[in-house]
Amino acid sequence: MFEARLGQATILKKILDAIKDLLNEATFDCSDSGIQLQAMDNSHVSLVSLTLRSDGFDKFRCDRNLSMGMNLGSMAKILKCANNEDNVTMKAQDNADTVTIMFESANQEKVSDYEMKLMNLDQEHLGIPETDFSCVVRMPAMEFARICRDLAQFSESVVICCTKEGVKFSASGDVGTANIKLAQTGSVDKEEEAVIIEMQEPVTLTFACRYLNAFTKATPLSTQVQLSMCADVPLVVEYAIKDLGHIRYYLAPKIED
Amino acid sequence: KTKQAGILNFFSKK
């Protein structure tokens, strides 16, 4: 028996919004430690890794490890039927071929349930090597989304250059060149507005705007985003999900042809 | 010119 309950459906809606542009379907691996999802996008350029800890749920029970393959378009249809403040409960029997998603209004006067067919997905888990990153940047998630959106107008690629002074995002194309520099913030009143750079050595990497923009669909989950970079390895874009876990996107760099 | 690398160039299948 698997049962997981969250106080607000809005969190699940935001999580789905953060992955459904990259993935058509995905396997949710459930165990007593929580729910994990790891999947590559269709073009095998990026990898999405979602971790939801069992202690972040209002109620969590998982008697036996369970892998639930879900069509994310179908899940999105179901979540559209929930009000943001509804409680949401996911339930499945051991070895079941369906999952039940139930919404309850705060006053318990409206209860709806949706049974969704599960899929058998060929899932390949990838081993992600430990990396000592050269640069780790923490910045407001909205600012990162804004930069990715703005620079995508000028080029398919963005160059991220990180030094101890700051981080520079550049794009160059037919229109010309765009550069956005962010300096590390001095003192800020609010932690969520800070730009913090931890640098071991400077790094310059090129990434496809299309994927960065897809990752920023996770912006509503978190006030801050963390970018971890190292020469010739995938960028890690991480959004914390408060009290519940995190979503990490890995993006392979563009390399010299 | 740059070309897009694949994620499997970096991460191996378990």
Side-chain angles (χ1 to χ4, degrees), chain A residues 98-248:
Chain A
T98 61
V99 59
T100 299
I101 302 177
M102 183 169 81
F103 306 123
E104 294 167 280
S105 63
N107 60 14
Q108 306 276 314
E109 283 170 4
K110 178 179 173 187
V111 178
S112 36
D113 66 81
Y114 301 84
E115 195 179 80
M116 183 171 74
K117 290 177 199 140
L118 294 174
M119 311 166 75
N120 242 330
L121 300 173
D122 260 343
Q123 55 166 358
E124 312 171 291
H125 278 278
L126 300 185
I128 300 169
E130 287 278 324
T131 305
D132 285 328
F133 289 101
S134 305
C135 294
V136 177
V137 178
R138 279 193 292 280
M139 62 186 284
M142 297 253 287
E143 186 66 81
F144 180 62
R146 176 70 201 255
I147 290 169
C148 294
R149 191 189 73 188
D150 289 350
L151 292 185
Q153 301 185 98
F154 301 98
S155 173
E156 288 177 0
S157 306
V158 59
V159 178
I160 306 179
C161 173
C162 187
T163 63
K164 65 177 185 305
E165 282 78 36
V167 57
K168 184 173 78 169
F169 301 86
S170 307
S172 190
D174 296 342
V175 174
T177 304
N179 291 300
I180 302 171
K181 288 181 218 163
L182 290 183
Q184 177 152 225
T185 45
S187 59
V188 283
D189 292 343
K190 295 177 188 162
E191 207 177 312
E192 61 263 30
E193 289 171 4
V195 175
I196 296 164
I197 297 166
E198 286 166 24
M199 192 207 71
Q200 310 303 322
E201 53 187 319
V203 65
T204 300
L205 285 162
T206 304
F207 298 103
C209 290
R210 187 160 78 83
Y211 291 94
L212 296 175
N213 272 309
F215 303 164
T216 63
K217 294 295 189 306
T219 305
L221 285 167
S222 196
T223 53
Q224 285 254 319
V225 62
Q226 178 170 299
L227 313 177
S228 303
M229 288 169 284
C230 193
D232 303 320
V233 303
L235 164 75
V236 189
V237 180
E238 177 173 338
Y239 294 85
I241 306 170
K242 195 172 184 300
D243 300 328
L244 186 59
H246 59 255
I247 182 160
R248 283 188 193 137

Side-chain angles (χ1 to χ4, degrees), chain A residues 44-45 124-127 129 232 252-255 257, chain B residues 1-8 10-14:
Chain A
H44 292 191
V45 167
E124 312 171 291
H125 278 278
L126 300 185
D232 303 320
K254 287 190 154 192
I255 51 178
D257 202 0
Chain B
K1 281 299 273 183
T2 55
K3 69 168 183 195
Q4 178 65 60
I7 202 80
L8 292 169
F10 304 95
F11 300 158
S12 52
K13 291 175 186 173
K14 267 185 190 169

